[in-house]
Amino acid sequence: MMLSPLKPLPLTVTPVPGESATSLASRIARKNGTASLQSFCADMSISYRALKVGDPVEIERVAALAGCDHTKLRTWTPHAPSKTNYQLGAEAPRFTAYSRSTIRGCPKCAAEALSEYGAHGPFHLGAWQLTSIRTCARHSCMLIEVPPPSHHKHSYDFARMVDNMDVDDIQIVAEEARSLERYLLGRLDGTSAGRWLDTLEFHVAAQLCENFGLLLTRGPRASRAETTERQWLEAGAAGYDVLCNGPDQMVAALEELRLKPGPGCHTYGAIAGSFLTWLSQREDDAAFDDIRQTVFDYILRTYPVLVGSTVLRIRCDRQQVYSLRKGAKAYGINERMLRHKLLERGDISKSGKSGAITYHRYPSRATLQKLANETNGVLRGFDAADYLGLDIHLLRTFVVEGLIKKAGEMARNAPYFRREDLDAFIGRLYRQTRPDLEPANDEVSLIAATPACQCSTLELLHLIFEHNIPLRCAAGADARFNDFLISVERAKTAIGQSSAGAISMSDAAGKLRVDTATIRNLVNAGYLSAAPKTKRSSERWRVVDATSVAAFGEHYIAAADLAHELRRDTANLCRELYKNGVEPLIFNGENRIIFRRRDVS
């Protein structure tokens, strides 16, 4: 049936910019005294049901009654170009972006319209049906919910519903809290800033800003159901202020949240739970796929997600980063060594007393492979000592003296070593060996030679290298430190050669026919002169001035030496001398008896 064209009514109203067709029809109906919008539509042969869903024919008929341009009226009336979207302004937001059943309005706009035009003055803008629009752009106050009518059929009769509205409920908001709304209204007007958000669908941009902002403002445990409209407004602004700069800033903000809690190991759920839960529930909307993939990729390269795990409803097929313990196991790295390397790199840090680890970055596959290559052949101190066949304390002494090179230090100054450096030390000893050298009767291991030579193992090594003392190796290619043999006599000779005009204590003891303990006590008592020591020698390593030994031998003689000259028993000779009043030399220590030559001549 062909409908006759409508003409402007004698009693009509002027449309407000951005007003929806249902709001304009409601105002015209009230001005003409009809009982409701539904009955007015019936009187004007307008389909109320079609008008509610933005049918272009019915919008055009309402525009004709008001005597206005139907194009603008249709632009700001939500209408459905498809089954899933409603067109509004220059955008076609998905139906999930609307709140069609809950009518909200501006109390200031309603109060001003009532004051100026009466009962038919209050209007309703089409943009106010969007859930993300929560304030009035003109008055910067919160939209408030209009009490629902007695029957759902009157839900779009705004001019009558406003009678029960609390126009005194005015909640002013700061302009900075409206940044997201200003952006969304700009998109509805067709304005584009050329930003990343502009590439997203309207409902994706709006909901992403709000839910990401909710994470920023209220934390990972925020309840969406318990969030107030004002909190949603503030969350949307916080989210927009970050996301307007692109997805990299979103990732940077997630990274900042990850590091904020401090020491400990924090899961991605504990850091961004509310946001991730919301995003995972968007799997049925393909418009969110790129966002989910971006966040998924960030989580995989930031958190140790196991293969087979599901994140944001996406399956993880390859683990990208690892925790310290699992990374050490997966790549065959000593866990303590890996911890040290990650501390050196700054990937992790430890708190003072508790020693809890903070992961600034979980080690990636590439990092772990690199560290595995670096630490291949690296040994900790005790393992290096076992490798060389040394005591750990002796190894540390060799390191201090520069005989063995360390690769670095772990916590508490614990050194670690490369095998090639340890082999270089053994190789240096190998170069002192003489395969054609005849075995000597006094050959002992290097460790056993130190008490015989009255010097430290370190001093013995310096003697070997400085005086080129030949060694013999009792093992094959896998020789360790104690497999090298040295002649005690050669070592003693070198000790005497270390100081000009000096002889070793054992040589001095041999000349005077006493033991080295007696020589040491004679030096301490001042009867013999100690020669200057080299810088590397310890307190045990003493050499005696040869001149003082010769001078002492001219004036004194040991009881054993005297008994040998007289072919007497030493003990009987001493008893006889005591009976005849001959006194031995008095000096500190328990030593063999020494007499003055003049007393026994």
Side-chain angles (χ1 to χ4, degrees):
M1 181 179 67
M2 180 69 67
L3 295 177
S4 59
L6 299 179
K7 296 180 180 180
L9 294 174
L11 296 176
T12 187
V13 297
T14 302
V16 176
E19 185 177 10
S20 66
T22 51
S23 170
L24 180 60
S26 175
R27 293 167 61 207
I28 296 173
R30 192 159 200 192
K31 188 165 186 177
N32 282 273
T34 55
S36 67
L37 173 60
Q38 186 179 22
S39 61
F40 174 76
C41 288
D43 292 342
M44 296 292 107
S45 299
I46 296 174
S47 170
Y48 177 61
R49 178 176 295 185
L51 180 64
K52 289 192 300 181
V53 296
D55 182 87
V57 173
E58 305 306 332
I59 292 175
E60 186 174 347
R61 292 173 66 80
V62 171
L65 294 176
C68 66
D69 181 9
H70 68 87
T71 304
K72 289 185 178 180
L73 188 62
R74 185 187 180 192
T75 297
W76 294 106
T77 300
H79 53 283
S82 69
K83 294 182 179 180
T84 58
N85 297 67
Y86 284 100
Q87 183 76 36
L88 180 64
E91 296 285 340
R94 193 175 174 87
F95 66 87
T96 55
Y98 292 90
S99 178
R100 302 270 290 168
S101 59
T102 301
I103 305 300
R104 296 169 301 153
C106 171
K108 273 198 167 187
C109 286
E112 291 175 358
L114 285 170
S115 175
E116 185 173 356
Y117 299 108
H120 59 272
F123 55 87
H124 190 262
L125 303 184
W128 290 352
Q129 292 189 35
L130 293 168
T131 56
S132 296
I133 302 299
R134 298 182 172 87
T135 66
C136 173
R138 179 182 174 191
H139 297 106
S140 295
C141 64
M142 295 291 295
L143 301 178
I144 63 174
E145 186 175 336
V146 179
S150 57
H151 196 282
H152 69 87
K153 289 184 178 181
H154 304 308
S155 295
Y156 291 89
D157 196 355
F158 184 79
R160 296 180 189 280
M161 291 172 60
V162 79
D163 291 343
N164 298 322
M165 183 179 180
D166 184 3
V167 295
D168 295 324
D169 185 11
I170 301 171
Q171 307 169 42
I172 301 298
V173 297
E175 276 303 304
E176 56 265 25
R178 298 189 60 254
S179 57
L180 173 62
E181 289 195 6
R182 287 195 298 271
Y183 166 74
L184 296 178
L185 291 174
R187 284 189 60 162
L188 293 177
D189 283 331
T191 303
S192 174
R195 293 176 173 176
W196 171 68
L197 283 176
D198 295 335
T199 65
L200 305 179
E201 292 191 26
F202 185 93
H203 71 287
V204 175
Q207 294 175 21
L208 177 62
C209 289
E210 290 173 345
N211 285 275
F212 188 71
L214 186 64
L215 170 64
L216 299 178
T217 57
R218 295 181 55 78
R221 296 185 179 181
S223 169
R224 298 176 69 243
E226 296 176 2
T227 302
T228 65
E229 288 296 300
R230 196 177 190 104
Q231 289 171 340
W232 274 121
L233 177 72
E234 294 168 352
Y240 172 77
D241 292 343
V242 172
L243 296 172
C244 67
N245 296 312
D248 291 344
Q249 290 302 309
M250 175 178 67
V251 171
L254 289 172
E255 186 68 2
E256 185 177 347
L257 289 175
R258 183 180 73 84
L259 297 175
K260 189 176 181 180
C265 180
H266 306 285
T267 64
Y268 54 85
I271 298 300
S274 60
F275 174 66
L276 299 180
T277 299
W278 165 80
L279 192 54
S280 66
Q281 294 170 350
R282 308 276 81 75
E283 64 171 336
D284 59 341
D285 188 347
F288 284 92
D289 286 352
D290 288 344
I291 305 298
R292 288 197 304 131
Q293 190 64 48
T294 298
V295 177
F296 175 79
D297 292 340
Y298 162 74
I299 290 175
L300 254 62
R301 65 174 181 267
T302 308
Y303 295 91
V305 180
L306 300 179
V307 174
S309 301
T310 300
V311 179
L312 300 178
R313 311 288 176 89
I314 305 174
R315 187 179 185 276
C316 172
D317 295 325
R318 185 181 184 188
Q319 186 168 354
Q320 296 187 23
V321 298
Y322 293 77
S323 64
L324 194 155
R325 179 169 297 178
K326 291 188 177 180
K329 183 177 180 181
Y331 284 81
I333 308 173
N334 177 275
E335 185 176 339
R336 186 180 179 189
M337 177 66 70
L338 178 58
R339 182 186 296 110
H340 168 68
K341 286 292 186 181
L342 294 178
L343 285 168
E344 276 188 339
R345 289 168 51 89
D347 292 347
I348 64 174
S349 61
K350 292 176 65 176
S351 60
K353 294 183 179 179
S354 66
I357 291 178
T358 297
Y359 286 88
H360 304 294
R361 288 176 298 275
Y362 283 93
S364 65
R365 299 166 63 91
T367 296
L368 289 170
Q369 186 59 62
K370 178 182 178 182
L371 294 181
N373 295 337
E374 286 182 6
T375 56
N376 184 26
V378 173
L379 301 176
R380 294 184 301 157
F382 284 99
D383 295 332
D386 290 341
Y387 183 78
L388 294 174
L390 293 175
D391 177 82
I392 184 64
H393 302 292
L394 189 56
L395 173 62
R396 289 169 180 162
T397 300
F398 289 173
V399 169
V400 171
E401 289 296 316
L403 292 174
I404 297 177
K405 180 182 178 182
K406 63 181 179 180
E409 290 181 348
M410 292 185 283
R412 299 178 182 175
N413 299 322
Y416 57 92
F417 305 85
R418 294 187 180 89
R419 290 183 188 271
E420 54 263 32
D421 294 330
L422 302 178
D423 291 338
F425 173 71
I426 294 295
R428 190 176 181 187
L429 293 175
Y430 257 120
R431 289 192 291 274
Q432 293 296 128
T433 60
R434 304 292 183 270
D436 55 347
L437 185 68
E438 290 292 331
N441 295 329
D442 62 345
E443 277 185 349
V444 293
S445 68
L446 297 180
I447 297 295
T450 55
C453 296
Q454 292 290 298
C455 67
S456 69
T457 307
L458 177 63
E459 293 162 351
L460 181 60
L461 284 182
H462 285 312
L463 284 172
I464 292 171
F465 297 138
E466 289 176 5
H467 295 273
N468 199 25
I469 301 176
L471 303 176
R472 283 199 326 106
C473 183
D478 294 330
R480 292 297 172 254
F481 185 76
N482 229 28
D483 293 327
F484 293 94
L485 305 178
I486 188 173
S487 166
V488 174
E489 185 61 30
R490 291 192 184 102
K492 289 181 177 179
T493 302
I495 291 175
Q497 295 171 348
S498 296
S499 297
I503 59 175
S504 67
M505 295 186 69
S506 58
D507 286 343
K511 290 180 179 297
L512 299 179
R513 299 184 71 86
V514 294
D515 57 16
T516 54
T518 301
I519 296 297
R520 191 179 295 276
N521 284 324
L522 287 171
V523 171
N524 293 336
Y527 289 99
L528 296 177
S529 300
K533 297 183 295 182
T534 61
K535 293 182 179 179
R536 291 170 175 169
S537 45
S538 67
E539 287 300 321
R540 292 185 61 207
W541 185 2
R542 285 188 175 183
V543 288
V544 185
D545 182 68
T547 304
S548 68
V549 173
F552 185 84
E554 291 177 359
H555 297 89
Y556 299 93
I557 185 171
D561 197 10
L562 179 62
H564 179 72
E565 289 181 0
L566 300 175
R567 296 184 179 181
R568 297 278 303 275
D569 177 71
T570 303
N572 291 332
L573 177 61
C574 288
R575 280 194 293 271
E576 184 177 333
L577 290 173
Y578 292 157
K579 287 179 182 180
N580 294 325
V582 178
E583 296 291 336
L585 180 66
I586 303 301
F587 62 99
N588 59 314
E590 297 179 0
N591 306 289
R592 294 181 181 180
I593 299 172
I594 299 176
F595 297 96
R596 296 174 182 84
R597 285 187 181 274
R598 70 171 183 267
D599 293 338
V600 297
S601 57

